[in-house]
Every structure is written in structure tokens, then in C-alpha cells.
Amino acid sequence: MMSNNMRTSETKKRVVIVGGGFAGIHAYLGLHRKFHSSGDVEIILISERDYFLFTPMIHEVAAGGLLSTNVTQALRSLPRCCISRFIEATLQAADLPAKKVLIRRVNDSLNSEIEEIPYDYLVLALGSDTNFYKTPGAEEYCLTLKNLADALAIKARVIDCFARAEEAPDPETRRQWLTFTIVGGGPTGVELAAELADLIKNECAQNFPRSAGEAKITLIQAGAALVPQVEAWFAKQATKILKKIGVGIRLNSKVREVKSDEVILENDKLPSRVTVWTAGVKAREIEFRGVKDGEIVCDEVTRRLKVNQYLQLASYPEVFIAGDQAWICDVAQQAPYPMRAQFAVREGACVADNLARQITEKKLVAFSWRDAGFIISLGHGRALAKLFGIRLAGPLAWFMYRTAYFFKLFGWRAKLRTALEWTLGLFLPRDISKL
């Protein structure tokens, strides 16, 4: 086992951030703003991939509306002045009493040894994985939508199904090839269903004229309404729009089992050549070493780590948790904050603030959330939004959706590429190549 104890200066505090998603990046950017001129901290950023992925727009990649380069930003292109090292590696364990993390390099052809990285302060923001809730067959047969590989796999499978259907000798066989099911009626499932409906209605109809009319998209939701995380107006409007563009909706339908060509519900079963699971997430699990029983409390369902109001582990105040891994109670709602990007952004910023306060021996501030609104895309020219108490629907909401996400993208390269791709999309068909 290799140990890396090099310090740029004995007077500097070493901050290790593990995770290159929304929470980790905003924690770094916050520390960069606070310590850039002083140089009092040494920051090491560890991520298992060398790019940041803007996940709120990944459904557009899955349906060919955007290229993968539109939703990524190289982590090495972040302001480098305050990053002493960027390490592309996976976290193997965190030894909290010894104040070190154990990592293994990614894509190392020499099968590198585990390295030890000591820290003074640690930020854990590894995000989440898909939660299949132990549903038989789900992990084996379902596609997911958590990363670029997932998005490209969905697109390739859909196009391949149309290609196979186009060669089929009869309508019944074509219909069997063109059954698409999305499990999970939250924001991701709703947005993906709308984008796929647009893809089928337009580009697939043009390139596979014998088959497009046979395609069927079904959105399955275990609860009584779509997007239950927000007010009922969104559910009502989203249901109306999705039905209008040809998406079938099954509410109060819990999936009992998934097979290679069908989805089995409690009292029914649906043929499904492509099944995408967007029904939930759970925090990435971390192996902790040296901790005593009861020092770390984990939520049983979501695997999130329970933190105090300052986003610290109570037994280890030098360790902060942010994003999907953090379980922190919303006092007003008497429930944990949702596992969504906007909360990860705010938590990352709060961690940076409190970490800086801890270093400079100032009073910490409790995490708070002021809801500025909610936006959901429903395909080309369609969206729903509530911003500062005002409800919007249709093209105006869609414009607001794109404007908001444009400014949230990291880096001008990603912004300009996305703006260009959106502009071309107004006049040219989507890309339907299987990359």
C-alpha cells in the first residue's frame, strides 16, 4: 500500500474532496473563492471520472437532442489555482480516526496499489446509484439513466429496435419490437418519456416509415400521480401533455418483476422490448474503517449518511457530507431534503462556507433552503415551471428551462456547444446514430 504524505506547506490545511458531481464541484468552487488570495488551504479533488456531467439534461442525450459533449466539462479545466492535485481514482475506504482516504487509480494498466491520502478536512460527495428496490430482474434487464454510457445505450437500443422492426415481415412483429417502458414517474422518467416521444414522432417516423406508427411508450408510476415531489399542478399538466403526445401512463402500478421482454405488474403484465428504470436512487455506499458502532448513522432505504445541521458527521466534525449522500432533515416538512441537483449545489456551497469558517475558527451556519422554483421539460417546445410563485406552461416555460440550464452549465465551451446544438435542433433533425 502506497502512502502519500506530501504537503505543499506545513502551515496549509489539506482539504480532500471526493466526488466530481454538483456537490463536490460547488464545494471546491466555494473554497476557491474564499481562499484564492490567501493560499491557506491545499485542495485535492478525487473523482472516478475526469469530467463533470450535467445530469439534468442527460435525457436529451438519450433521445439524440444533444451530443454527449454538450453536457460534460473537463474537471481539469476548473480553476487550477487552488487545486494542488486532481486524481482520477475510486474511493476504496475512508479511515476517519486516522484521517485518511484509501483510493485506487482508474484505468491503470498496471493494476495500481491502493494509495493513502491524508487530510485535515474531508468532503464526501460521491452521489448516488440506481435503486432497484430488490425488484427481481430489474438490475439484469433494465437500462438506467445515470451517466453518459447509460444515455448512449438507451439511444442505441431504441434505434436498433426500429431497425429490427423495419425488417419485420408483419405488423405484429413490428409492434413487439417497438414496446418501450419507463419505470418511474419522477422528473427523470417524465422528461425521458417526452423526449423519446418526440424522437419517435419525428426522426424515427422519417427514417423508419414502416414502423414508427407501431411504437408504444408506457410510463409506469407506483404512486397515484407523476412527479409527486412537487405540487399537484405539475402532475395534472404533465399527465395531460404526455397523453397528448402518445405516452401511455400507468399510475398506482407497482412493478413486481422485469423480464427480458416484459414488465410484470401486480395484476397485469406489459410487453417491453426496452425497459428503462428511473424509479429511484440510493446513495453510493462507503466503507468506513476504524469507526465505532453508532458513530455513523445511515438511512436504511436510501443509504444516505445522517449529518447535523452544518452537514458534518456528528462524531467527526472535520468530515462533511454533501449531495445525494447527505441525509439532513427539512424541519418545515419533517422529512429529508430530496436527492436532486439543486439541493446538491446548495449543500456544496454550504459545506465550503462552513469548512472555511471552521478553518478560520468562526461560527458555523446551518444549512437552509429557500425554494426558488421547479422546472421540468416535456419535449421540444413544452415545459412546466413555477418560479417565484408564478406558474408557467408551454413555450415560455420551455424557454425558461433552457435559459436556466444554459447558465448552470460549467464552462463556456459547454455553454456555446449547447447553444449551437439547440439552435441547430430548431432547423435540423436529431442525431440518430448509435455511438
PDB file of all heavy atoms in Angstrom, residues 74 83 148 156 158 171 173 191 246 255 265 327 361 412 416:
ATOM      1  N   ALA A  74     -14.590  19.119 -18.605  1.00  0.00           N
ATOM      2  CA  ALA A  74     -13.392  18.501 -18.047  1.00  0.00           C
ATOM      3  C   ALA A  74     -13.087  19.073 -16.669  1.00  0.00           C
ATOM      4  O   ALA A  74     -13.025  20.296 -16.499  1.00  0.00           O
ATOM      5  CB  ALA A  74     -12.211  18.714 -18.988  1.00  0.00           C
ATOM      6  N   ILE A  83      -6.366  24.028  -6.762  1.00  0.00           N
ATOM      7  CA  ILE A  83      -6.298  22.559  -6.742  1.00  0.00           C
ATOM      8  C   ILE A  83      -4.832  22.153  -6.800  1.00  0.00           C
ATOM      9  O   ILE A  83      -4.156  22.373  -7.806  1.00  0.00           O
ATOM     10  CB  ILE A  83      -7.055  21.930  -7.928  1.00  0.00           C
ATOM     11  CG1 ILE A  83      -8.545  22.252  -7.855  1.00  0.00           C
ATOM     12  CG2 ILE A  83      -6.862  20.408  -7.921  1.00  0.00           C
ATOM     13  CD1 ILE A  83      -9.359  21.635  -8.978  1.00  0.00           C
ATOM     14  N   LEU A 148     -23.324   9.020 -18.952  1.00  0.00           N
ATOM     15  CA  LEU A 148     -23.304   9.121 -20.415  1.00  0.00           C
ATOM     16  C   LEU A 148     -23.438   7.764 -21.088  1.00  0.00           C
ATOM     17  O   LEU A 148     -24.125   7.638 -22.110  1.00  0.00           O
ATOM     18  CB  LEU A 148     -22.000   9.787 -20.868  1.00  0.00           C
ATOM     19  CG  LEU A 148     -21.928  11.303 -20.763  1.00  0.00           C
ATOM     20  CD1 LEU A 148     -20.591  11.799 -21.277  1.00  0.00           C
ATOM     21  CD2 LEU A 148     -23.069  11.964 -21.524  1.00  0.00           C
ATOM     22  N   ALA A 156     -29.069   3.878 -28.451  1.00  0.00           N
ATOM     23  CA  ALA A 156     -28.684   2.796 -29.358  1.00  0.00           C
ATOM     24  C   ALA A 156     -29.732   1.687 -29.382  1.00  0.00           C
ATOM     25  O   ALA A 156     -30.067   1.156 -30.447  1.00  0.00           O
ATOM     26  CB  ALA A 156     -27.326   2.231 -28.952  1.00  0.00           C
ATOM     27  N   VAL A 158     -32.983   1.939 -28.688  1.00  0.00           N
ATOM     28  CA  VAL A 158     -34.201   2.402 -29.354  1.00  0.00           C
ATOM     29  C   VAL A 158     -34.024   2.366 -30.870  1.00  0.00           C
ATOM     30  O   VAL A 158     -34.892   1.853 -31.601  1.00  0.00           O
ATOM     31  CB  VAL A 158     -34.564   3.828 -28.883  1.00  0.00           C
ATOM     32  CG1 VAL A 158     -35.686   4.409 -29.748  1.00  0.00           C
ATOM     33  CG2 VAL A 158     -34.985   3.806 -27.414  1.00  0.00           C
ATOM     34  N   PRO A 171     -47.026  -6.532 -39.119  1.00  0.00           N
ATOM     35  CA  PRO A 171     -47.232  -5.501 -38.090  1.00  0.00           C
ATOM     36  C   PRO A 171     -47.095  -6.020 -36.665  1.00  0.00           C
ATOM     37  O   PRO A 171     -46.604  -5.305 -35.788  1.00  0.00           O
ATOM     38  CB  PRO A 171     -48.654  -5.000 -38.373  1.00  0.00           C
ATOM     39  CG  PRO A 171     -48.885  -5.300 -39.813  1.00  0.00           C
ATOM     40  CD  PRO A 171     -48.152  -6.574 -40.075  1.00  0.00           C
ATOM     41  N   THR A 173     -45.159  -8.371 -35.429  1.00  0.00           N
ATOM     42  CA  THR A 173     -43.752  -8.480 -35.068  1.00  0.00           C
ATOM     43  C   THR A 173     -43.141  -7.104 -34.875  1.00  0.00           C
ATOM     44  O   THR A 173     -42.334  -6.891 -33.969  1.00  0.00           O
ATOM     45  CB  THR A 173     -42.977  -9.250 -36.152  1.00  0.00           C
ATOM     46  OG1 THR A 173     -43.595 -10.521 -36.370  1.00  0.00           O
ATOM     47  CG2 THR A 173     -41.528  -9.458 -35.737  1.00  0.00           C
ATOM     48  N   GLU A 191     -39.390  13.368 -18.159  1.00  0.00           N
ATOM     49  CA  GLU A 191     -38.623  14.058 -19.196  1.00  0.00           C
ATOM     50  C   GLU A 191     -38.143  13.091 -20.268  1.00  0.00           C
ATOM     51  O   GLU A 191     -38.182  13.407 -21.469  1.00  0.00           O
ATOM     52  CB  GLU A 191     -37.443  14.788 -18.556  1.00  0.00           C
ATOM     53  CG  GLU A 191     -37.870  15.977 -17.700  1.00  0.00           C
ATOM     54  CD  GLU A 191     -36.713  16.714 -17.085  1.00  0.00           C
ATOM     55  OE1 GLU A 191     -35.700  16.059 -16.746  1.00  0.00           O
ATOM     56  OE2 GLU A 191     -36.803  17.950 -16.934  1.00  0.00           O
ATOM     57  N   GLY A 246     -48.816  10.928 -26.963  1.00  0.00           N
ATOM     58  CA  GLY A 246     -48.831   9.491 -27.219  1.00  0.00           C
ATOM     59  C   GLY A 246     -48.173   8.609 -26.183  1.00  0.00           C
ATOM     60  O   GLY A 246     -47.941   7.423 -26.442  1.00  0.00           O
ATOM     61  N   VAL A 255     -44.175  -2.417  -9.977  1.00  0.00           N
ATOM     62  CA  VAL A 255     -43.514  -3.455 -10.759  1.00  0.00           C
ATOM     63  C   VAL A 255     -43.079  -4.587  -9.838  1.00  0.00           C
ATOM     64  O   VAL A 255     -42.371  -4.367  -8.846  1.00  0.00           O
ATOM     65  CB  VAL A 255     -42.293  -2.887 -11.515  1.00  0.00           C
ATOM     66  CG1 VAL A 255     -41.535  -3.996 -12.218  1.00  0.00           C
ATOM     67  CG2 VAL A 255     -42.743  -1.829 -12.508  1.00  0.00           C
ATOM     68  N   LEU A 265     -46.568  -6.468 -13.569  1.00  0.00           N
ATOM     69  CA  LEU A 265     -47.137  -5.624 -12.523  1.00  0.00           C
ATOM     70  C   LEU A 265     -47.893  -6.493 -11.527  1.00  0.00           C
ATOM     71  O   LEU A 265     -47.927  -7.723 -11.655  1.00  0.00           O
ATOM     72  CB  LEU A 265     -48.063  -4.578 -13.147  1.00  0.00           C
ATOM     73  CG  LEU A 265     -47.452  -3.726 -14.271  1.00  0.00           C
ATOM     74  CD1 LEU A 265     -48.505  -2.799 -14.856  1.00  0.00           C
ATOM     75  CD2 LEU A 265     -46.267  -2.936 -13.763  1.00  0.00           C
ATOM     76  N   TRP A 327     -28.065  12.959   4.379  1.00  0.00           N
ATOM     77  CA  TRP A 327     -29.425  12.924   4.923  1.00  0.00           C
ATOM     78  C   TRP A 327     -29.517  14.040   5.949  1.00  0.00           C
ATOM     79  O   TRP A 327     -28.924  13.977   7.022  1.00  0.00           O
ATOM     80  CB  TRP A 327     -29.708  11.584   5.582  1.00  0.00           C
ATOM     81  CG  TRP A 327     -31.153  11.302   5.914  1.00  0.00           C
ATOM     82  CD1 TRP A 327     -31.992  10.474   5.240  1.00  0.00           C
ATOM     83  CD2 TRP A 327     -31.920  11.829   7.022  1.00  0.00           C
ATOM     84  NE1 TRP A 327     -33.233  10.451   5.841  1.00  0.00           N
ATOM     85  CE2 TRP A 327     -33.219  11.279   6.926  1.00  0.00           C
ATOM     86  CE3 TRP A 327     -31.637  12.715   8.055  1.00  0.00           C
ATOM     87  CZ2 TRP A 327     -34.223  11.582   7.853  1.00  0.00           C
ATOM     88  CZ3 TRP A 327     -32.644  13.026   8.966  1.00  0.00           C
ATOM     89  CH2 TRP A 327     -33.914  12.454   8.863  1.00  0.00           C
ATOM     90  N   GLU A 361     -11.923  29.456  12.443  1.00  0.00           N
ATOM     91  CA  GLU A 361     -12.459  29.458  13.808  1.00  0.00           C
ATOM     92  C   GLU A 361     -13.611  30.446  13.980  1.00  0.00           C
ATOM     93  O   GLU A 361     -13.667  31.224  14.935  1.00  0.00           O
ATOM     94  CB  GLU A 361     -11.341  29.746  14.821  1.00  0.00           C
ATOM     95  CG  GLU A 361     -10.243  28.693  14.790  1.00  0.00           C
ATOM     96  CD  GLU A 361      -9.160  28.964  15.818  1.00  0.00           C
ATOM     97  OE1 GLU A 361      -9.118  30.098  16.353  1.00  0.00           O
ATOM     98  OE2 GLU A 361      -8.362  28.046  16.083  1.00  0.00           O
ATOM     99  N   TRP A 412     -17.511  27.890 -20.701  1.00  0.00           N
ATOM    100  CA  TRP A 412     -18.069  28.483 -21.911  1.00  0.00           C
ATOM    101  C   TRP A 412     -18.046  27.534 -23.100  1.00  0.00           C
ATOM    102  O   TRP A 412     -18.845  27.660 -24.017  1.00  0.00           O
ATOM    103  CB  TRP A 412     -17.334  29.785 -22.241  1.00  0.00           C
ATOM    104  CG  TRP A 412     -17.824  30.913 -21.390  1.00  0.00           C
ATOM    105  CD1 TRP A 412     -17.221  31.471 -20.311  1.00  0.00           C
ATOM    106  CD2 TRP A 412     -19.091  31.569 -21.528  1.00  0.00           C
ATOM    107  NE1 TRP A 412     -18.021  32.441 -19.759  1.00  0.00           N
ATOM    108  CE2 TRP A 412     -19.172  32.536 -20.488  1.00  0.00           C
ATOM    109  CE3 TRP A 412     -20.157  31.449 -22.423  1.00  0.00           C
ATOM    110  CZ2 TRP A 412     -20.273  33.363 -20.333  1.00  0.00           C
ATOM    111  CZ3 TRP A 412     -21.246  32.283 -22.261  1.00  0.00           C
ATOM    112  CH2 TRP A 412     -21.301  33.220 -21.228  1.00  0.00           C
ATOM    113  N   LEU A 416     -21.450  27.190 -25.147  1.00  0.00           N
ATOM    114  CA  LEU A 416     -21.534  27.521 -26.569  1.00  0.00           C
ATOM    115  C   LEU A 416     -21.913  26.300 -27.407  1.00  0.00           C
ATOM    116  O   LEU A 416     -22.689  26.400 -28.366  1.00  0.00           O
ATOM    117  CB  LEU A 416     -20.208  28.112 -27.043  1.00  0.00           C
ATOM    118  CG  LEU A 416     -19.860  29.488 -26.438  1.00  0.00           C
ATOM    119  CD1 LEU A 416     -18.474  29.927 -26.886  1.00  0.00           C
ATOM    120  CD2 LEU A 416     -20.901  30.526 -26.832  1.00  0.00           C
TER     121      LEU A 416
END
